[in-house]
Amino acid sequence: MTHPYKSGNGARRIILVEVPNQTKGDIVRYPVSMAILSATLLAACAAQPPAPKQYQPIPLGLFSDGIHHWQNLHGKDYPRYREDQIVEIANNVLLYQRDNGGWIENRDPARILDDSDIKAAEAEKANPKGSFDNRNVYSQVEYLFAAYDQTGNKTYRQAALKGLRYTLSMQHKKCGGWPHTVPGAQPYHPYITMADEVTSGVLRMLRKVEQADPPFKSVDAADRTAATDARKRGDACVLQLQVRQNDKLAGWAGQYDPETLQPAQGRSFELPSMVSQESVEMARYLMSIPAPSPEVVAAIDGVMAWFERSKLTGWKIETIKLDQPVKYDYHTATTDRRLVQDPDAGPLWGRFYDVKDNSIVLANRDGIRVKDYSQIHHERRTGYAWYGVWPTKVLYEEYPAWKKRMGRG
């Protein structure tokens, strides 16, 4: 408690500060000058830690596939950072980055790590393995550039540039696509990969870098030129690898042998074939090009015509609930699926199509092709999408809108 008090000559303004005497149980009054008290209060305020800076959330949508795969294996019951905690998330991205500039796939950058998690990630840094699978690497590069834009932390920019240069170094020489994983642990890992937006995802990022679109404004001229050159080679490769059937442009395979440039096998049940889902994403990438060349326009028209002639009508996938769940290595099945006739069903597409005759390709983990969906093992029927509606939106909404923008609609 304080009381105003003037010294005898009235020259200084002081106050009496009451302090309890713990020994005698009474109150002791100390005269303190206003100047000293003000300085003391200012020092106390200065000693308080500043309020944490507020940042705009950076959406984690680019990481959604990797997060999904992480949670499939580890569940969802773990603490995570909010999207506006961009420093904490960016620091995780830094931690996960390998010494060579790449990242391994299927991590959740928003996971709150404990000491053992941090030590494990640090121990992996020297491992040269990196993967573009499941929308990886280019997602981390973009996130770090976005974090740098808000925070000004040069470490984020340096790591992002390292990731960009890593990406450029992994482009195939003969045909400018990107591999699944390097160094490869499976036969298909080194292949030029269209699956999971490996090549199309990298090309989308490189176009942003080339055009200095946010968050890539801080990329210097030399790296921007390198990105432009890689993008041009990548676009040429995409056009070169589009499959032709009876001299008609069709879709793209999931992966290609980098030497023969022929459609190649992915996992044991993913036989060499065109993939409708991956062709949708490639078409979307091509339609995002602001001023497409006649070759790009022909590629888009070709894949859309292929979607149209490849659709199934009068069929649907029916889901049946199981009495008891069945646990497999990579998922637990609570349902079964079957292909049934339905005259009212909308268009349906197979995932894989034969390069030569355009028949739907189905196979089990033993790599043997089967004729009917019912011959697919229950584990693969429920753990993999063999039929779907992937082309519906791009064919019936996005393609007409694109033609109208191009003055063709």
Side-chain angles (χ1 to χ4, degrees):
M1 183 175 182
T2 63
H3 296 279
Y5 173 76
K6 284 187 179 182
S7 61
N9 58 16
R12 290 185 304 160
R13 178 72 172 177
I14 65 172
I15 59 174
L16 296 177
V17 178
E18 293 184 349
V19 180
N21 187 325
Q22 301 297 332
T23 302
K24 297 182 178 181
D26 57 0
I27 298 294
V28 180
R29 293 185 175 90
Y30 295 96
V32 179
S33 74
M34 287 293 289
I36 293 174
L37 182 62
S38 298
T40 303
L41 291 174
L42 286 172
C45 292
Q48 297 298 316
K53 186 172 182 179
Q54 297 297 310
Y55 295 106
Q56 291 300 312
I58 302 176
L60 294 174
L62 285 173
F63 296 104
S64 60
D65 199 5
I67 293 171
H68 169 75
H69 281 80
W70 171 268
Q71 293 179 344
N72 272 353
L73 287 177
H74 303 280
K76 300 180 180 180
D77 188 20
Y78 59 87
R80 302 179 76 240
Y81 294 116
R82 303 184 311 273
E83 285 194 347
D84 64 334
Q85 293 178 281
I86 68 171
V87 170
E88 290 83 356
I89 296 172
N91 288 343
N92 274 356
V93 175
L94 288 180
L95 178 65
Y96 285 136
Q97 188 176 30
R98 301 290 167 91
D99 291 339
N100 63 1
W103 285 268
I104 197 63
E105 80 279 24
N106 300 339
R107 299 290 189 269
D108 182 355
R111 189 163 67 98
I112 299 176
L113 307 178
D114 59 27
D115 288 344
S116 63
D117 296 323
I118 293 170
K119 289 179 180 178
E122 288 174 341
E124 291 180 339
K125 277 187 166 292
N127 188 330
K129 183 180 180 182
S131 181
F132 294 92
D133 186 34
N134 296 335
R135 291 88 185 166
N136 203 49
V137 177
Y138 56 85
S139 299
Q140 287 90 335
V141 171
E142 182 161 339
Y143 191 93
L144 287 174
F145 272 121
Y148 167 73
D149 279 353
Q150 288 200 52
T151 66
N153 187 333
K154 293 181 180 179
T155 303
Y156 298 155
R157 180 178 179 274
Q158 292 166 354
L161 286 171
K162 192 173 184 179
L164 173 60
R165 291 162 187 165
Y166 170 85
T167 301
L168 297 177
S169 73
M170 292 298 165
Q171 187 176 30
H172 276 291
K173 305 301 181 187
K174 186 172 183 177
C175 190
W178 275 265
H180 180 286
T181 298
V182 178
Q186 298 294 332
Y188 62 89
H189 280 174
Y191 292 166
I192 296 171
T193 304
M194 306 300 180
D196 292 319
E197 295 182 70
V198 168
T199 291
S200 63
V202 172
L203 290 173
R204 282 182 184 276
M205 180 191 72
L206 294 183
R207 279 191 173 273
K208 292 180 182 179
V209 173
E210 179 182 3
Q211 297 163 6
D213 290 340
F216 298 102
K217 292 183 180 296
S218 65
V219 177
D220 57 36
D223 286 310
R224 201 177 305 286
T225 297
T228 300
D229 293 342
R231 192 274 303 164
K232 289 178 179 178
R233 292 185 58 244
D235 283 356
C237 184
V238 166
L239 297 180
Q240 182 179 355
L241 295 182
Q242 189 172 13
V243 174
R244 286 183 177 269
Q245 289 180 329
N246 300 320
D247 204 34
K248 293 181 179 180
L249 289 169
W252 284 268
Q255 49 278 320
Y256 294 80
D257 185 295
E259 295 302 320
T260 66
L261 303 184
Q262 295 301 307
Q265 181 158 332
R267 288 172 288 186
S268 60
F269 52 90
E270 296 169 330
L271 304 184
S273 54
M274 290 180 289
V275 192
S276 58
Q277 184 180 24
E278 321 305 337
S279 296
V280 165
E281 296 308 324
M282 191 56 73
R284 283 182 171 138
Y285 165 69
L286 294 175
M287 288 193 297
S288 73
I289 297 174
S293 66
E295 292 79 11
V296 169
V297 171
I300 296 168
D301 289 340
V303 69
M304 295 301 169
W306 177 66
F307 288 146
E308 188 62 51
R309 64 178 180 267
S310 300
K311 68 182 180 183
L312 300 173
T313 56
W315 293 88
K316 71 176 183 180
I317 293 292
E318 184 177 71
T319 300
I320 306 159
K321 186 173 178 58
L322 298 178
D323 293 334
Q324 296 291 332
V326 180
K327 184 172 179 55
Y328 295 108
D329 287 344
Y330 297 103
H331 76 286
T332 298
T334 59
T335 62
D336 198 358
R337 297 169 181 162
R338 62 186 181 186
L339 182 66
V340 298
Q341 289 184 307
D342 181 353
D344 298 323
L348 187 70
W349 283 266
R351 187 170 195 147
F352 299 103
Y353 285 84
D354 191 282
V355 172
K356 294 182 178 178
D357 64 16
N358 211 46
S359 58
I360 292 175
V361 176
L362 304 167
N364 281 302
R365 285 193 180 272
D366 58 9
I368 298 175
R369 183 175 176 178
V370 298
K371 183 178 180 180
D372 297 319
Y373 185 55
S374 61
Q375 295 174 280
I376 296 291
H377 188 273
H378 177 255
E379 183 270 338
R380 284 295 78 196
R381 281 201 307 272
T382 57
Y384 199 70
W386 294 94
Y387 292 89
V389 296
W390 305 287
T392 301
K393 186 173 183 179
V394 73
L395 179 60
Y396 297 119
E397 296 180 27
E398 297 170 29
Y399 178 52
W402 172 81
K403 287 202 297 183
K404 187 174 182 179
R405 289 199 307 272
M406 296 296 109
R408 304 174 57 215

PDB file of all heavy atoms in Angstrom, residues 32-48:
ATOM      1  N   VAL A  32       9.940   6.083  -0.672  1.00  0.00           N
ATOM      2  CA  VAL A  32      10.558   5.761  -1.964  1.00  0.00           C
ATOM      3  C   VAL A  32      10.237   6.889  -2.932  1.00  0.00           C
ATOM      4  O   VAL A  32       9.067   7.312  -3.030  1.00  0.00           O
ATOM      5  CB  VAL A  32      10.036   4.423  -2.530  1.00  0.00           C
ATOM      6  CG1 VAL A  32      10.673   4.131  -3.886  1.00  0.00           C
ATOM      7  CG2 VAL A  32      10.311   3.291  -1.556  1.00  0.00           C
ATOM      8  N   SER A  33      11.241   7.353  -3.647  1.00  0.00           N
ATOM      9  CA  SER A  33      10.982   8.426  -4.608  1.00  0.00           C
ATOM     10  C   SER A  33      10.183   7.888  -5.790  1.00  0.00           C
ATOM     11  O   SER A  33      10.281   6.702  -6.156  1.00  0.00           O
ATOM     12  CB  SER A  33      12.297   9.030  -5.100  1.00  0.00           C
ATOM     13  OG  SER A  33      12.940   8.149  -5.996  1.00  0.00           O
ATOM     14  N   MET A  34       9.384   8.738  -6.404  1.00  0.00           N
ATOM     15  CA  MET A  34       8.598   8.358  -7.571  1.00  0.00           C
ATOM     16  C   MET A  34       9.496   7.922  -8.722  1.00  0.00           C
ATOM     17  O   MET A  34       9.186   7.008  -9.486  1.00  0.00           O
ATOM     18  CB  MET A  34       7.720   9.534  -8.010  1.00  0.00           C
ATOM     19  CG  MET A  34       6.545   9.803  -7.099  1.00  0.00           C
ATOM     20  SD  MET A  34       5.330   8.473  -7.125  1.00  0.00           S
ATOM     21  CE  MET A  34       4.661   8.709  -8.767  1.00  0.00           C
ATOM     22  N   ALA A  35      10.655   8.566  -8.860  1.00  0.00           N
ATOM     23  CA  ALA A  35      11.564   8.230  -9.960  1.00  0.00           C
ATOM     24  C   ALA A  35      12.052   6.794  -9.822  1.00  0.00           C
ATOM     25  O   ALA A  35      12.087   6.023 -10.778  1.00  0.00           O
ATOM     26  CB  ALA A  35      12.733   9.208  -9.992  1.00  0.00           C
ATOM     27  N   ILE A  36      12.446   6.441  -8.564  1.00  0.00           N
ATOM     28  CA  ILE A  36      12.940   5.066  -8.354  1.00  0.00           C
ATOM     29  C   ILE A  36      11.837   4.054  -8.574  1.00  0.00           C
ATOM     30  O   ILE A  36      12.020   3.011  -9.192  1.00  0.00           O
ATOM     31  CB  ILE A  36      13.529   4.939  -6.934  1.00  0.00           C
ATOM     32  CG1 ILE A  36      14.796   5.786  -6.820  1.00  0.00           C
ATOM     33  CG2 ILE A  36      13.814   3.485  -6.600  1.00  0.00           C
ATOM     34  CD1 ILE A  36      15.374   5.829  -5.414  1.00  0.00           C
ATOM     35  N   LEU A  37      10.628   4.370  -8.063  1.00  0.00           N
ATOM     36  CA  LEU A  37       9.520   3.443  -8.219  1.00  0.00           C
ATOM     37  C   LEU A  37       9.177   3.253  -9.688  1.00  0.00           C
ATOM     38  O   LEU A  37       8.939   2.132 -10.163  1.00  0.00           O
ATOM     39  CB  LEU A  37       8.295   3.957  -7.457  1.00  0.00           C
ATOM     40  CG  LEU A  37       7.065   3.036  -7.492  1.00  0.00           C
ATOM     41  CD1 LEU A  37       7.396   1.692  -6.843  1.00  0.00           C
ATOM     42  CD2 LEU A  37       5.886   3.691  -6.809  1.00  0.00           C
ATOM     43  N   SER A  38       9.165   4.330 -10.460  1.00  0.00           N
ATOM     44  CA  SER A  38       8.856   4.230 -11.885  1.00  0.00           C
ATOM     45  C   SER A  38       9.881   3.374 -12.605  1.00  0.00           C
ATOM     46  O   SER A  38       9.544   2.530 -13.443  1.00  0.00           O
ATOM     47  CB  SER A  38       8.805   5.630 -12.514  1.00  0.00           C
ATOM     48  OG  SER A  38       7.778   6.400 -11.928  1.00  0.00           O
ATOM     49  N   ALA A  39      11.163   3.594 -12.284  1.00  0.00           N
ATOM     50  CA  ALA A  39      12.218   2.798 -12.926  1.00  0.00           C
ATOM     51  C   ALA A  39      12.070   1.325 -12.581  1.00  0.00           C
ATOM     52  O   ALA A  39      12.267   0.437 -13.418  1.00  0.00           O
ATOM     53  CB  ALA A  39      13.588   3.329 -12.502  1.00  0.00           C
ATOM     54  N   THR A  40      11.716   1.049 -11.332  1.00  0.00           N
ATOM     55  CA  THR A  40      11.545  -0.339 -10.891  1.00  0.00           C
ATOM     56  C   THR A  40      10.397  -1.009 -11.637  1.00  0.00           C
ATOM     57  O   THR A  40      10.486  -2.147 -12.089  1.00  0.00           O
ATOM     58  CB  THR A  40      11.294  -0.397  -9.382  1.00  0.00           C
ATOM     59  OG1 THR A  40      12.383   0.234  -8.709  1.00  0.00           O
ATOM     60  CG2 THR A  40      11.166  -1.828  -8.902  1.00  0.00           C
ATOM     61  N   LEU A  41       9.284  -0.278 -11.764  1.00  0.00           N
ATOM     62  CA  LEU A  41       8.123  -0.840 -12.467  1.00  0.00           C
ATOM     63  C   LEU A  41       8.432  -1.074 -13.939  1.00  0.00           C
ATOM     64  O   LEU A  41       8.040  -2.089 -14.530  1.00  0.00           O
ATOM     65  CB  LEU A  41       6.924   0.088 -12.311  1.00  0.00           C
ATOM     66  CG  LEU A  41       6.332   0.182 -10.903  1.00  0.00           C
ATOM     67  CD1 LEU A  41       5.238   1.257 -10.857  1.00  0.00           C
ATOM     68  CD2 LEU A  41       5.768  -1.169 -10.475  1.00  0.00           C
ATOM     69  N   LEU A  42       9.154  -0.133 -14.560  1.00  0.00           N
ATOM     70  CA  LEU A  42       9.513  -0.303 -15.971  1.00  0.00           C
ATOM     71  C   LEU A  42      10.410  -1.510 -16.168  1.00  0.00           C
ATOM     72  O   LEU A  42      10.258  -2.282 -17.119  1.00  0.00           O
ATOM     73  CB  LEU A  42      10.207   0.957 -16.486  1.00  0.00           C
ATOM     74  CG  LEU A  42       9.310   2.169 -16.732  1.00  0.00           C
ATOM     75  CD1 LEU A  42      10.169   3.392 -17.059  1.00  0.00           C
ATOM     76  CD2 LEU A  42       8.324   1.881 -17.865  1.00  0.00           C
ATOM     77  N   ALA A  43      11.354  -1.699 -15.251  1.00  0.00           N
ATOM     78  CA  ALA A  43      12.252  -2.851 -15.349  1.00  0.00           C
ATOM     79  C   ALA A  43      11.480  -4.150 -15.195  1.00  0.00           C
ATOM     80  O   ALA A  43      11.728  -5.136 -15.876  1.00  0.00           O
ATOM     81  CB  ALA A  43      13.351  -2.742 -14.293  1.00  0.00           C
ATOM     82  N   ALA A  44      10.505  -4.155 -14.284  1.00  0.00           N
ATOM     83  CA  ALA A  44       9.702  -5.363 -14.080  1.00  0.00           C
ATOM     84  C   ALA A  44       8.888  -5.694 -15.322  1.00  0.00           C
ATOM     85  O   ALA A  44       8.771  -6.851 -15.727  1.00  0.00           O
ATOM     86  CB  ALA A  44       8.788  -5.179 -12.871  1.00  0.00           C
ATOM     87  N   CYS A  45       8.343  -4.636 -15.952  1.00  0.00           N
ATOM     88  CA  CYS A  45       7.571  -4.869 -17.187  1.00  0.00           C
ATOM     89  C   CYS A  45       8.465  -5.374 -18.305  1.00  0.00           C
ATOM     90  O   CYS A  45       8.082  -6.257 -19.080  1.00  0.00           O
ATOM     91  CB  CYS A  45       6.875  -3.576 -17.612  1.00  0.00           C
ATOM     92  SG  CYS A  45       5.564  -3.061 -16.491  1.00  0.00           S
ATOM     93  N   ALA A  46       9.679  -4.809 -18.377  1.00  0.00           N
ATOM     94  CA  ALA A  46      10.594  -5.223 -19.443  1.00  0.00           C
ATOM     95  C   ALA A  46      11.022  -6.663 -19.270  1.00  0.00           C
ATOM     96  O   ALA A  46      11.349  -7.356 -20.241  1.00  0.00           O
ATOM     97  CB  ALA A  46      11.815  -4.305 -19.461  1.00  0.00           C
ATOM     98  N   ALA A  47      11.050  -7.135 -18.025  1.00  0.00           N
ATOM     99  CA  ALA A  47      11.488  -8.507 -17.766  1.00  0.00           C
ATOM    100  C   ALA A  47      10.447  -9.534 -18.179  1.00  0.00           C
ATOM    101  O   ALA A  47      10.742 -10.718 -18.292  1.00  0.00           O
ATOM    102  CB  ALA A  47      11.823  -8.664 -16.278  1.00  0.00           C
ATOM    103  N   GLN A  48       9.201  -9.105 -18.371  1.00  0.00           N
ATOM    104  CA  GLN A  48       8.154 -10.040 -18.786  1.00  0.00           C
ATOM    105  C   GLN A  48       8.393 -10.499 -20.226  1.00  0.00           C
ATOM    106  O   GLN A  48       8.720  -9.690 -21.087  1.00  0.00           O
ATOM    107  CB  GLN A  48       6.777  -9.378 -18.688  1.00  0.00           C
ATOM    108  CG  GLN A  48       6.382  -8.984 -17.273  1.00  0.00           C
ATOM    109  CD  GLN A  48       6.291 -10.189 -16.369  1.00  0.00           C
ATOM    110  OE1 GLN A  48       5.742 -11.217 -16.751  1.00  0.00           O
ATOM    111  NE2 GLN A  48       6.843 -10.065 -15.166  1.00  0.00           N
TER     112      GLN A  48
END
